[in-house]
Amino acid sequence: MEIIQVNELSKKAYQIRKLTLELLCEAKSGHTGGSLSEADILSVLYFSKMNIDPAKPDWEDRDRFILSKGHACPALYATLALKGYFPLESLSTLRKLGSKLQGHPDMKRTLGIDISTGSLGQGLSAGLGMALASRLLKKQNRIYVLLGCGELQEGQVWEAAMAAAHYKAANLTAIIDYNRLQIDGSNSEVMELSPLADKWRSFGWKVIEIDGHNIEQIVNAFEEAKQTVDCPSVIIAKTVKGKGVSFIENQVGWHGRVPTKEELAKALIELDERMKTL
Amino acid sequence: MKDLLSSRVAYGKSLVELGKTNPKVVVLDADLSKATQTVQFSEEFPERFFDMGIAEQNMMSCAAGMATFGLIPFVSTFAVFASMRAVEQIRNFIAYPKLNVKIVATHAGVEVGQDGATHQAIEDIAILRAIPNMVVIAPADWVSTKKAVQAIAEYQGPVYMRVGRSDHEPVYQSDFKFEIGKSVQLRSGKDLTIIAIGNMVSKALSVAEELSKLGFSIRVIDMHTVKPLDETAVIDAAKETKGIITVEDHTIIGGLGSAVSETLSSYNLAPVIRIGIQDRFGQSGIGDELLDYYGLSVSNIVDQSLEILK
Ligand SMILES: Cc1ncc(C[n+]2csc(CCOP(=O)(O)OP(=O)(O)O)c2C)c(N)n1
C-alpha cells in the first residue's frame, strides 16, 4: 500500500476524532472512549474499503456497515458527514430534540445508517440476516459489523457466531474493537473474554488479529477477509480506548463522559500535533 | 360433519401459497418447524427457509437484517418464546425501525394444553400491543388465518400474529374480506355484544346461540386485529347494546379486554366484562378442559352475559 494513501486514511481518522470530540462537547453527553478507539477502522472502511456512494444511500448493491456498539455513533456520524452523507454543520444537533442524529443510530432518521442499533449484542445477527439476504438475491454486497469487546458478553453474539458459521456466511466480516475496557472496569475485571481468538476459531470463523490503529494492517485484514470464501471472518483489532488524546486514553471513566470546553481545546491541540507527525 | 383444521396448519399451507406468488417471502424458524407448520414451506422452498436453531433472539435480529434487503421474513416459533424471549429484539430491531418482519407465533393461550404453563403464552398480546409500530392480529379459524397471511404480507411493516395450536370449529364457511384493523360482525344484535379473538370467536357464537334461545339478541364481533383496534365497532357496540363482554384465551391484563376498556374509558356508555385468564398461570391438561377450567367455557360466558342482561 502506498504511504500517501496510508497517511491520508490516518489523517481522516484524526479528523473523525476531532469532529467527534467537538460534537460530544456540544451535545454535553455521549460516549467518548469507544468513539475514539474505532476511528481508524471507520476511516479505512468508509474512505477505502466499502463500496458505497453517499449520493445514493439506498443503493441496493452498496456494502453495509452495522455499528453494533451503537453508543459509539458520534465517530460514525463524523465519518458519514466527512464522507458527504449530510452537512458537517448538522453534527452540532447531536442528541438534541428533533435532531436527525439520535443518541444511538436510527436508520429512519439518518442517511447512511444501514440499521438502527443501541441495544448491544444484536448487530451481528442483523449482519447475518443481511449476508443471507444478499446471497439469496445473488448480490455481491459485503457486510461489516463493528462490535465492542464488552459487547461480546451478550449470549446473542454467540448465537449469531454459530449461525453465521453454519450458513458459511463468507460475505460477513465482524470487527472487534478490542480496547479491553467497558463500563464497570476492564473485561478481565467484569467478565473475562480470553482466549478470544480461540473462541471465534472454535465457532468456525476465520480469525485475523491486528493492531486496530495501524492503517496498513486494517486494510490488509479486510483484504484477507474478502479472500476468505468458505466461512465468515472476524478481525480482532487491538485498540486503545480514547485513542489519540493522552488524558482520555485507557481511562475507564471516559466511556460515557464528554470533554468540557477546556478539555476539548487541549485535546484538539494534541490531535493536531499528532496529525503533523504523520 | 364440519371440517376441522387448526390455524397453524392453515398458516403452513398459506405460507406455501404465498411463497409461490411472492419470491421475497422467506421463513425463519427456531427448531419448531413441524409444530409451527413452517415445515411445509421448507419442503417447497428450501433455499428460502432458514432454521436458526434454538436461538430466538438471533432469529429476530437476523430477520430485521433480511428485511433491510427488501425480503419479507416470516418468523415463527411458539408464542411464549417469540413474545418474551425475544421481545427486546422485536422492539429495538424490528418495531423501532418499522421493518417489514412478520412474526407468526403459534401455540398461544392455555389451549396449548398438556405442555403446561411454560408453553402457554397468556401475555403475548399485552406485551406486543404496548410496542409502537406493531400490528397485533389473532385470527379466529383457518379461513381467517389464510386471509390474514395474505393481508399481512401485503402490509408494509412489522406484524405480530398469534395462532392457536388446536383444531377448531370453522367460523367462516366461505370467502370473506379480511382487512387489518377492521373487525367482522358475525351476528347482529341489540341486547349485548360479545367481542372475541382467536379460538374464542367460535365460542362466542355458541354463547350467542344459547342466549338467543333465552330470547336475547346478541351481537358478535370477531376483533381479529387487536392493534390497531377497530374503535368504531367498539363504540357503536357500546352505544347500541347494553354492554360488552370480551373473550380471549389470554390474561385479562393488557389484552383484548383492556384494549376495549381503554377505548371506552373516556365515554360513559356501557359496562365491559373481561373474560380471560384471571392473572394466573396455566397448567397441564387437555386444551378444552383448561379453557373450561379457566372460565372460558360457553356456560361461564353465558352466566357472565346474564349479569349484564338481567
Ligand atoms: C443490551 C445492552 N446492555 C447494556 C447497555 C449499556 N451499555 C452501553 S455501552 C456499554 C459498555 C460497552 O462496552 P464495549 O462493548 O467494550 O464498548 P466500548 O468499550 O468499545 O465502548 C454498556 C454496558 C446497552 N447499550 N445494551
Side-chain angles (χ1 to χ4, degrees), chain A residues 34 69 71 118 120 148-151 154 179 181-183 241 255:
Chain A
K69 41 173 285 189
H71 59 278
L120 294 170
C149 46
E151 183 183 4
E154 282 286 355
N179 58 39
L181 296 182
Q182 43 195 107
I183 295 184
K241 199 155 173 171
H255 171 84

Side-chain angles (χ1 to χ4, degrees), chain B residues 10 46 50-51 70 81 84 121 149 152 154 183 193 226 238 274 276 293-294 299 302:
Chain B
F50 300 89
D51 202 318
F81 309 130
M84 285 171 266
V149 168
I152 66 176
E154 280 160 31
S183 64
T193 303
V226 183
R274 291 168 296 146
Y293 180 85
Y294 288 100
S299 63
V302 166

Side-chain angles (χ1 to χ4, degrees), chain A residues 64 106-108 114-117 119 122 125-126 128-130 132-134 136-137 141 143 156 159-160 163 167, chain B residues 26 47-48 50-52 55-58 61-62 64-66 68-69 71 88-89 92-93 96-99:
Chain A
R64 304 296 203 276
D106 180 345
M107 66 184 291
K108 286 283 189 252
D114 290 322
I115 198 158
S116 307
T117 52
S119 165
Q122 300 191 50
S125 303
L128 171 61
M130 293 182 187
L132 295 175
S134 173
L136 183 67
L137 297 167
N141 325 71
I143 318 296
Q156 189 183 339
E159 294 182 1
Y167 281 105
Chain B
V26 293
E47 74 293 349
R48 283 195 270 152
F50 300 89
D51 202 318
M52 302 310 292
E56 297 77 12
Q57 303 175 40
N58 178 52
S61 320
C62 185
M66 289 177 166
T68 69
F69 267 70
L71 296 179
E88 196 257 346
Q89 282 74 7
N92 278 327
F93 269 67
Y96 174 49
K98 212 166 189 258
L99 289 172

Side-chain angles (χ1 to χ4, degrees), chain B residues 16-302:
Chain B
V16 173
E17 290 308 308
L18 189 62
K20 285 179 187 155
T21 55
N22 194 335
K24 300 265 184 226
V25 170
V26 293
V27 176
L28 294 84
D29 204 304
D31 198 30
L32 286 170
S33 67
K34 295 189 183 76
T36 63
Q37 286 292 314
T38 60
V39 65
Q40 299 183 45
F41 187 94
S42 78
E43 283 163 0
E44 199 82 23
F45 308 105
E47 74 293 349
R48 283 195 270 152
F49 176 79
F50 300 89
D51 202 318
M52 302 310 292
I54 312 161
E56 297 77 12
Q57 303 175 40
N58 178 52
M59 176 166 71
M60 289 300 171
S61 320
C62 185
M66 289 177 166
T68 69
F69 267 70
L71 296 179
I72 309 174
F74 276 69
V75 186
S76 287
T77 178
F78 290 169
V80 77
F81 309 130
S83 70
M84 285 171 266
R85 172 67 63 99
V87 69
E88 196 257 346
Q89 282 74 7
I90 295 175
R91 179 198 188 267
N92 278 327
F93 269 67
I94 295 174
Y96 174 49
K98 212 166 189 258
L99 289 172
N100 200 19
V101 176
K102 318 300 169 185
I103 299 147
V104 181
T106 65
H107 295 64
V110 296
E111 178 207 82
V112 165
Q114 293 179 304
D115 276 347
T118 54
H119 284 55
Q120 297 162 346
I122 53 165
E123 315 88 337
D124 56 329
I125 292 176
I127 293 167
L128 273 296
R129 194 170 77 82
I131 299 174
N133 289 344
M134 284 305 296
V135 164
V136 180
I137 291 177
D141 69 353
W142 62 275
V143 175
S144 172
T145 300
K146 284 175 92 162
K147 292 269 169 191
V149 168
Q150 284 293 342
I152 66 176
E154 280 160 31
Y155 170 81
Q156 264 290 327
V159 174
Y160 177 82
M161 182 160 111
R162 126 199 267 245
V163 173
R165 169 179 180 268
S166 310
D167 296 343
H168 286 296
E169 291 282 313
V171 170
Y172 298 96
Q173 302 297 340
S174 56
D175 211 15
F176 79 106
K177 192 162 183 287
F178 184 102
E179 204 179 320
I180 293 173
K182 187 91 188 66
S183 64
V184 182
Q185 186 174 309
L186 294 168
R187 199 179 160 123
S188 57
K190 55 184 185 355
D191 294 328
L192 178 81
T193 303
I194 305 176
I195 303 179
I197 51 168
N199 53 352
M200 291 298 109
V201 176
S202 64
K203 206 155 268 191
L205 286 170
S206 307
V207 172
E209 199 52 47
E210 291 288 312
L211 289 168
S212 78
K213 286 180 200 151
L214 302 176
F216 297 108
S217 139
I218 309 296
R219 181 179 301 187
V220 176
I221 294 173
D222 171 10
M223 191 59 78
H224 54 67
T225 310
V226 183
K227 185 187 178 183
L229 192 76
D230 186 347
E231 298 192 345
T232 311
V234 172
I235 291 167
D236 286 351
K239 280 182 181 159
E240 293 160 13
T241 65
K242 292 191 194 80
I244 294 177
I245 303 262
T246 60
V247 194
E248 59 197 310
D249 184 359
H250 182 275
T251 169
I252 54 159
I253 298 172
L256 170 72
S258 296
V260 167
S261 306
E262 287 156 17
T263 300
L264 294 175
S265 64
S266 40
Y267 307 86
N268 187 12
L269 289 174
V272 179
I273 293 180
R274 291 168 296 146
I275 299 183
I277 313 298
Q278 304 289 322
D279 194 20
R280 53 188 173 152
F281 286 109
Q283 59 179 306
S284 292
I286 305 296
D288 280 336
E289 195 177 61
L290 288 171
L291 290 172
D292 289 352
Y293 180 85
Y294 288 100
L296 293 159
S297 61
V298 171
S299 63
N300 183 50
I301 304 168
V302 166

